Amino acid sequence: MSTQDILKNASTLASYNVLLQVMFRVLTFLLNAFTLRFVSKELIGVVNVRLTLLYSTLVFLSREAFRRACLSAEPGTNRSWRQVINLLWLTLPLGVFWATLLGCVWLWLLEVPDPQTVPHYGPAVLLFALSGVQELLAEPLWVLAQAHMFVQLKVIAESLALVAKCSVTVVLVAFAPEWGLYIFSAGQLVYTGFLVLCYVVYFFNFLGSKEAAKKAFPLQQIRDVLPHKADGEPLVDWTVAWLTWSFFKQSFLKQILTEGERYVMTFLNVLSFGDQGVYDIVNNLGSMVARFIFLPIEESFYVFFAKVLERGRDVESQKKEDVAIAAEVLECLLKLVLVIGLIITVFGYAYSLLALDLYGGAVLSSGSGPGLLRSYSCNVLLLAVNGVTECFVFAAMSQQEVDKYNLVMLALSVSFLLLSYMLTWWAGGIGFILANCLNMGLRISHSLLYIHRYFQSSQWKPLRGLLPSPLLLVVLMISAGVTAASEAVFCCDSGWLFRMVHIGVGGVCLFFVLLAVLLTETQMVQFVTTQLLPRYRKKHT
């Protein structure tokens, strides 16, 4: 396969993965909204935080190092797929080991939920651990599919598995809510079972076919996927095995940093199970905006900056026209995400209670949920600015600077865990969001300092993008006051008529905010209409 073909297939796979993530978020969003009407928030907390953490920890520690090692061989090198498959089957006994160890921790060392509120906790731990081991049965097939760029198999398999899981969960929640955690355990087992089934069915039909022969696929029949020793060669490739061990040592730290909040909640008991459920739902709800709006901007323009600027060279060493374009784009992007973030912050404060009441009813709107979502609205602003500043910084930094910054990121991640623990004892679930805000603030400060130094000796000042127009600030402050007063008067215990009035007030305020944007932020508006919207339309036609 040529380099261009690999690049094309990788780009296609990336696009499919984005679609898969969007579908996963939307279905999870709808599933949570439905289940909240039938089960308690304590049960949701145990499922979404504790049991999901058990599953994700098990599969990550069992397979991540193997995936990275077995997929890292350079194209064209002589690799023995027989040895690679034998090595990949070690994920299964490793998964059994982690399932046993983590199952004991989850059953005997962690606080056990009240069986009246959260029934069947013990069997659910065993079933979630079993689902993780079950998923590892497909690991050799998954690596084969990824290595040979079967770009549609992953998205089809995970889509079918997710739909099956949601269907089973919805039916059982609606007709047998008294089953408690058995409902979600069944859904998880169906999910991993469908994944394995899809990969087995695909390779059962593919192996030995004309298409496999045309592609010179290294396996001939489905039994070749089973482990066995080939004549004249070792059981496994020891070079890949030692590389797996190197990656395995990194897996612990990566997993802790990725799931830091859940580990703090699970092992340190800083939140009740009910508060954990509310926090997880609010976190997913708030992060949808960041993932659907800011993440595509960040990913797309990282590529732009990386192509326009020469990495590791200062402004004087770059082409002036390239630097001018990069500075103008950076300024417009900063202004765009700042305006969007300010709008979300202002209207998120006044409409968090209504949004949660519509989404999850009194379960979410009567407790800590509104305060969490209001805090997350402020966090979205920092996420937006951090995404754009870091995408520029990482595109402009030299390799040595990137390596140094990775150490800074490690220190910030550790400090985030410590801050999460301390602030959560003080402020409950909001403490996690405050820790995130402080972490993002430090990262933004580092990026702004780098950008300031980068353009210091030039005529361009892209950081002006962080200064919205005075008129826009005034309109936003007035809107914040009006919508907050509207919430106090009309929301949310006075019936649908008053809620519609509250929504109408917000609509009028948003109209004036957008009008102020059109009148005062002309450079940004022109950038959006001439650059972003044509790209979006081209991408979706």
Side-chain angles (χ1 to χ4, degrees):
M1 184 181 293
S2 68
T3 303
Q4 288 300 319
D5 289 336
I6 294 173
L7 177 60
K8 180 180 177 181
N9 287 335
S11 301
T12 305
L13 181 60
S15 300
Y16 284 149
N17 285 337
V18 170
L19 292 175
L20 186 64
Q21 287 298 316
V22 171
M23 187 190 73
F24 176 80
R25 288 279 170 178
V26 171
L27 284 177
T28 303
F29 175 84
L30 296 174
L31 183 62
N32 283 335
F34 177 80
T35 54
L36 278 169
R37 265 69 177 178
F38 295 88
V39 299
S40 66
K41 61 184 179 181
E42 286 79 11
L43 192 143
I44 292 291
V46 171
V47 172
N48 287 3
V49 177
R50 179 173 289 193
L51 294 180
T52 300
L53 182 65
L54 168 64
Y55 162 78
S56 64
T57 303
L58 190 159
V59 296
F60 187 91
L61 294 179
S62 300
R63 74 186 183 192
E64 178 68 14
F66 290 88
R67 286 184 171 186
R68 294 176 66 185
C70 294
L71 291 172
S72 62
E74 296 180 2
T77 56
N78 250 338
R79 80 157 30 163
S80 169
W81 276 105
R82 174 74 274 135
Q83 293 177 322
V84 170
I85 290 172
N86 289 341
L87 181 64
L88 286 169
W89 275 109
L90 292 178
T91 59
L92 190 59
L94 188 60
V96 173
F97 167 77
W98 285 119
T100 304
L101 179 62
L102 294 174
C104 293
V105 172
W106 257 246
L107 286 172
W108 297 325
L109 297 184
L110 298 181
E111 178 188 357
V112 177
D114 181 6
Q116 299 298 321
T117 309
V118 184
H120 315 303
Y121 172 74
V125 169
L126 299 178
L127 291 174
F128 265 78
L130 178 61
S131 72
V133 175
Q134 179 175 254
E135 186 172 341
L136 296 174
L137 292 171
E139 195 58 24
L141 299 178
W142 187 93
V143 171
L144 280 170
Q146 292 293 110
H148 292 86
M149 293 293 179
F150 294 172
V151 293
Q152 295 181 344
L153 176 57
K154 178 183 176 182
V155 69
I156 292 174
E158 295 195 18
S159 300
L160 291 175
L162 186 58
V163 170
K165 173 184 175 179
C166 291
S167 301
V168 169
T169 304
V170 166
V171 170
L172 292 179
V173 164
F175 294 101
E178 69 279 2
W179 285 16
L181 291 178
Y182 280 135
I183 296 172
F184 300 94
S185 302
Q188 188 66 26
L189 284 169
V190 167
Y191 174 78
T192 56
F194 254 81
L195 276 180
V196 175
L197 181 63
C198 287
Y199 278 96
V200 170
V201 169
Y202 179 87
F203 277 96
F204 184 82
N205 290 289
F206 174 77
L207 295 178
S209 67
K210 293 181 180 179
E211 183 183 359
K214 183 179 178 181
K215 292 182 176 181
F217 199 75
L219 306 184
Q220 305 300 320
Q221 46 195 342
I222 194 66
R223 66 185 180 190
D224 290 340
V225 180
L226 299 176
H228 63 270
K229 187 177 184 299
D231 296 333
E233 64 179 26
L235 183 64
V236 299
D237 186 332
W238 289 105
T239 302
V240 180
W242 282 113
L243 182 60
T244 302
W245 173 244
S246 298
F247 283 132
F248 182 76
K249 289 182 288 186
Q250 300 174 10
S251 298
F252 287 94
L253 180 61
K254 182 178 178 181
Q255 177 66 6
I256 290 173
L257 296 178
T258 302
E259 300 280 8
E261 295 175 0
R262 285 188 168 91
Y263 283 116
V264 171
M265 284 188 277
T266 298
F267 286 93
L268 301 179
N269 298 322
V270 292
L271 295 177
S272 67
F273 292 115
D275 287 340
Q276 289 180 28
V278 172
Y279 176 84
D280 184 76
I281 292 169
V282 170
N283 185 50
N284 287 331
L285 187 61
S287 66
M288 289 181 70
V289 177
R291 289 182 180 273
F292 291 168
I293 298 178
F294 300 130
L295 188 59
I297 292 175
E298 177 186 344
E299 291 177 344
S300 299
F301 284 93
Y302 170 78
V303 176
F304 167 79
F305 290 129
K307 287 185 177 181
V308 170
L309 301 174
E310 294 186 46
R311 181 181 295 277
R313 299 182 65 179
D314 57 25
V315 171
E316 288 81 3
S317 304
Q318 310 263 5
K319 294 181 180 178
K320 284 190 175 181
E321 56 271 25
D322 290 344
V323 176
I325 293 173
E328 181 182 355
V329 169
L330 178 58
E331 181 178 349
C332 290
L333 285 176
L334 287 173
K335 183 64 67 68
L336 175 62
V337 298
L338 181 72
V339 168
I340 296 174
L342 286 172
I343 291 173
I344 292 172
T345 300
V346 167
F347 290 92
Y349 181 87
Y351 288 88
S352 293
L353 177 60
L354 178 60
L356 292 177
D357 191 60
L358 295 175
Y359 179 59
V363 173
L364 293 182
S365 61
S366 61
S368 60
L372 286 170
L373 192 54
R374 287 182 181 122
S375 302
Y376 205 95
S377 299
C378 300
N379 189 42
V380 167
L381 174 61
L382 296 176
L383 285 172
V385 175
N386 180 70
V388 171
T389 54
E390 282 196 347
C391 89
F392 176 86
V393 168
F394 285 142
M397 276 181 171
S398 66
Q399 185 61 51
Q400 291 76 15
E401 289 173 322
V402 172
D403 292 337
K404 290 180 181 178
Y405 187 61
N406 286 338
L407 296 177
V408 175
M409 288 287 291
L410 175 61
L412 288 174
S413 299
V414 174
S415 66
F416 165 72
L417 293 178
L418 295 175
L419 281 171
S420 297
Y421 174 71
M422 293 185 292
L423 292 175
T424 306
W425 277 115
W426 171 62
I430 294 177
F432 281 117
I433 300 174
L434 292 176
N436 255 320
C437 289
L438 291 172
N439 186 270
M440 286 294 160
L442 291 173
R443 290 166 63 177
I444 290 171
S445 299
H446 176 276
S447 298
L448 293 182
L449 184 61
Y450 181 91
I451 294 170
H452 173 72
R453 290 174 177 171
Y454 188 86
F455 289 100
Q456 189 172 19
S457 59
S458 71
Q459 66 190 74
W460 298 286
K461 307 296 179 186
L463 294 183
R464 290 178 300 186
L466 293 176
L467 300 174
S469 67
L471 176 62
L472 177 59
L473 285 176
V474 170
V475 175
L476 283 169
M477 287 188 289
I478 294 174
S479 298
V482 171
T483 53
S486 173
E487 181 189 40
V489 174
F490 300 114
C491 191
C492 285
D493 299 321
S494 305
W496 277 100
L497 180 60
F498 287 94
R499 293 183 183 183
M500 295 305 296
V501 172
H502 182 46
I503 293 173
V505 170
V508 172
C509 290
L510 181 59
F511 170 78
F512 283 108
V513 169
L514 296 178
L515 183 61
V517 171
L518 291 174
L519 293 176
T520 61
E521 305 293 353
T522 53
Q523 182 183 7
M524 183 202 74
V525 172
Q526 184 181 10
F527 172 76
V528 172
T529 54
T530 59
Q531 297 297 325
L532 290 185
L533 292 182
R535 283 177 180 227
Y536 182 86
R537 285 195 291 265
K538 183 178 179 181
K539 191 175 181 179
H540 291 80
T541 55

